[in-house]
Amino acid sequence: MSESPSGLQVPSDIQDEYSEVLRDYIVRPNEQALRRAYEIGRRTLTSGAGVLGIAALHHEALKDVMPSLSAQIEEGLLIKRAEEVFVESLMPFEMSHRAFGDAIAVLRRMNERIEEEAKRIAHALHEEAGGLLSATHLALEELARDLSPEGTERLTLVRRLLDQMDEQLRQLAHEIRPTVLDDLGLLPALDFLASGVSSRSGVAITVEGSTEGRLPSAVETTLYRNVQEALNNVIRHAKANKVAVVVTREAHAVRCSVCDDGVGFDVSAVIAARSERGLGHVGMRERLDSHRGTLLVTSTPGHGAELLMYIPLEG
Amino acid sequence: MPLLANRKGRMDIRNDDDVIAARQKGRMLAGEIGFSPMEQAMLAAVITELARNIVDYAGRGEMLFHAVEDQGRRGIVVIARDEGPGIPNLKEALQASYSVAGGLGLGLRGIKALMDSLDIISVPGKKTTVTARKWRAGSPPAPSYDHGGGQ
């Protein structure tokens, strides 16, 4: 094991057992040996040693048994049998790998369902409740014709309140599901988001870059939601003056960064803590996971923070 | 779906030796109808996990193997049956990282990922029947494992 790179080491009792199994099977192919190889793979997987650990295990075992067996077993047959044992020990990793792919597909479908539901609610708020408000305005206008000047003035107060309600509905519908994201794409939606957050908070937010055409809808949603979360974090905690959002399209991926000049934070402490902000990062990572994307958070207390998201695009 | 005559088997599953015998039976049957060595190894892994569930959770049960043919393609159906406690939270067992066999998403999710279909009927406290099916990939028949004198 001395030649194995660090981190790939498998406990020596497993190494010994694997060598024994390999020798046994090469001399006399039998199902019990294959079963043992499978169980060794399973234990190695559970121990967290990884697929390279199994490769190292196999390599060491081959070095161990080859010299004594190559005299009695023809080389082609020896290699074939060794491979059969190796495949058995890899099978638990194959299962785990495939099951992981299935889990990602489930996560993606779940995200899509949530967004569909958000779309439905946003639509109901915007179109249906908004429509009722418009009808109320019209009815009030008619009513105003029959009122005294004093009554008209009091009615104006009511209409101002209705306008405020309209504005809040609009805002809420937008936050739940921005129609501009569906209609115009990521950059216009981010522009809209940035100007809203900027006018509420007074922090200067710039949005730059290009997606070079539309991205898959689910990817647009993920990036939008994560930038939204990131901007919320900056406004709440960073005491920043400026934030820059940059979107870059690469050959087979899209990259999006959010940089601020605020007070920064201790990245590992925030991510480890089950604080609201820590959970925010968990949410971002989960959304990215469903696209096999990555999240990189860099910050030094006192020197701002950078959040970098990277999503590979298929095809 | 027509069963292929004489291409079937049944085994009692009570202990580790039975698990090995079931693997061998499944692998042999798969080899006979042209599964590649790699597909045979996948099937053996699935049989191991199903049989392990029987031994660990029900104590005893049985496994059945059938070669089947449908519109020119051949496949294997593996049925694992026991009268043990059943699988509580079946949905979680299949979906989340929870696993009946324990550990890292093996067990049912791993089985599902290696097979073409997986049906589970579980009556808590009474019995469990798992039916897993795998079709042969569209490759020409491959030789089965050389088991030498080990059989």
Side-chain angles (χ1 to χ4, degrees):
Chain A
M1 291 299 292
S2 57
E3 288 170 32
S4 310
S6 63
L8 302 179
Q9 298 220 341
V10 172
S12 63
D13 58 324
I14 294 189
Q15 180 69 63
D16 293 345
E17 193 188 345
Y18 189 85
S19 295
E20 188 191 315
V21 165
L22 190 66
R23 185 190 304 275
D24 176 30
Y25 187 80
I26 289 174
V27 173
R28 187 184 61 93
N30 67 92
E31 192 64 44
Q32 190 181 7
L34 294 181
R35 163 84 200 282
R36 286 176 75 193
Y38 177 82
E39 292 301 330
I40 290 171
R42 211 174 188 283
R43 290 209 314 270
T44 309
L45 174 66
T46 315
S47 80
V51 72
L52 289 178
I54 279 283
L57 194 67
H58 184 69
H59 177 74
E60 291 297 320
L62 264 184
K63 273 204 318 203
D64 189 20
V65 305
M66 278 285 248
S68 60
L69 292 182
S70 52
Q72 41 172 315
I73 313 265
E74 185 259 320
E75 193 187 49
L77 198 58
L78 193 151
I79 290 172
K80 178 174 170 283
R81 289 175 181 172
E83 203 179 281
E84 286 165 6
V85 172
F86 190 38
V87 164
E88 282 296 331
S89 66
L90 284 176
M91 204 50 78
F93 290 87
E94 178 72 12
M95 284 169 105
S96 167
H97 174 71
R98 290 186 182 211
F100 179 66
D102 288 351
I104 282 186
V106 168
L107 194 60
R108 186 179 297 196
R109 281 200 298 278
M110 206 165 72
N111 269 340
E112 279 164 10
R113 273 208 300 279
I114 291 170
E115 281 300 328
E116 279 307 312
E117 188 64 5
K119 261 184 214 178
R120 197 187 61 74
I121 294 169
H123 183 84
L125 277 178
H126 195 257
E127 301 296 323
E128 291 166 29
L132 279 174
L133 265 178
S134 303
T136 312
H137 270 296
L138 286 175
L140 287 176
E141 218 162 278
E142 288 209 357
L143 182 67
R145 286 188 207 131
D146 304 335
L147 290 178
S148 64
E150 193 206 340
T152 312
E153 206 171 296
R154 279 161 65 191
L155 197 61
T156 308
L157 271 176
V158 175
R159 291 170 70 170
R160 246 182 241 142
L161 284 173
L162 280 179
D163 281 339
Q164 279 176 29
M165 195 196 267
D166 195 24
E167 179 53 35
Q168 286 203 351
L169 274 182
R170 217 177 280 277
Q171 188 65 37
L172 197 58
H174 180 78
E175 274 169 25
I176 292 171
R177 177 73 201 184
T179 46
V180 60
L181 186 58
D182 294 318
D183 298 341
L184 300 176
L186 183 62
L187 264 295
L190 289 179
D191 269 329
F192 195 82
L193 173 72
S195 62
V197 175
S198 196
S199 69
R200 278 205 304 269
S201 64
V203 176
I205 305 173
T206 56
V207 177
E208 280 170 30
S210 166
T211 50
E212 290 166 27
R214 294 294 296 266
L215 300 170
S217 165
V219 173
E220 290 185 341
T221 303
T222 287
L223 289 175
Y224 181 87
R225 291 282 180 228
N226 282 5
V227 171
Q228 192 174 32
E229 176 89 45
L231 291 179
N232 279 342
N233 281 341
V234 171
I235 301 310
R236 268 189 228 143
H237 310 284
K239 301 191 181 77
N241 295 312
K242 283 184 299 197
V243 185
V245 179
V246 180
V247 179
T248 325
R249 176 70 198 263
E250 295 177 1
H252 299 289
V254 58
R255 187 187 286 273
C256 175
S257 68
V258 181
C259 273
D260 72 72
D261 64 350
V263 295
F265 59 93
D266 180 343
V267 177
S268 48
V270 161
I271 287 178
R274 300 193 69 81
S275 64
E276 186 194 345
R277 197 171 180 189
L279 290 176
H281 281 121
V282 171
M284 286 192 225
R285 203 174 283 278
E286 275 173 1
R287 277 189 286 267
L288 286 167
D289 277 348
S290 72
H291 304 288
R292 298 178 188 271
T294 47
L295 175 70
L296 186 69
V297 185
T298 342
S299 181
T300 321
H303 295 91
E306 179 177 10
L307 190 135
L308 185 66
M309 293 172 276
Y310 183 89
I311 299 183
L313 299 170
E314 285 144 18
Chain B
M1 186 170 354
L3 303 179
L4 292 173
N6 303 323
R7 296 254 197 263
K8 59 180 183 181
R10 188 201 154 277
M11 325 223 49
D12 282 322
I13 305 291
R14 292 150 308 192
N15 55 40
D16 220 48
D17 288 345
D18 295 334
V19 177
I20 292 164
R23 281 170 55 97
Q24 190 161 10
K25 180 80 200 164
R27 200 195 291 273
M28 221 165 65
L29 200 57
E32 280 169 17
I33 62 161
F35 274 53
S36 73
M38 213 60 88
E39 289 172 310
Q40 292 174 37
M42 286 186 201
L43 200 68
V46 166
I47 291 168
T48 310
E49 295 300 330
L50 288 175
R52 175 203 303 277
N53 280 351
I54 291 178
V55 174
D56 286 358
Y57 292 92
R60 56 176 303 162
E62 60 172 356
M63 288 185 88
L64 294 94
F65 308 94
H66 283 294
V68 291
E69 190 161 28
D70 183 37
Q71 296 169 1
R73 52 179 193 163
R74 286 180 165 195
I76 295 248
V77 177
V78 179
I79 300 169
R81 270 206 297 244
D82 66 63
E83 298 185 351
I87 305 168
N89 309 319
L90 186 58
K91 212 173 159 194
E92 286 86 345
L94 274 168
Q95 274 190 354
S97 54
Y98 175 92
S99 151
V100 174
L104 300 175
L106 285 180
L108 287 176
R109 279 206 314 153
I111 294 168
K112 195 168 173 236
L114 287 186
M115 301 295 276
D116 290 314
S117 74
L118 183 70
D119 301 310
I120 302 167
I121 300 168
S122 181
V123 184
K126 286 231 164 91
K127 60 174 181 179
T128 302
T129 305
V130 181
T131 307
R133 185 176 295 124
K134 186 169 186 64
W135 296 107
R136 186 165 72 83
S139 53
S144 65
Y145 266 16
D146 157 30
H147 271 224
Q151 301 186 13

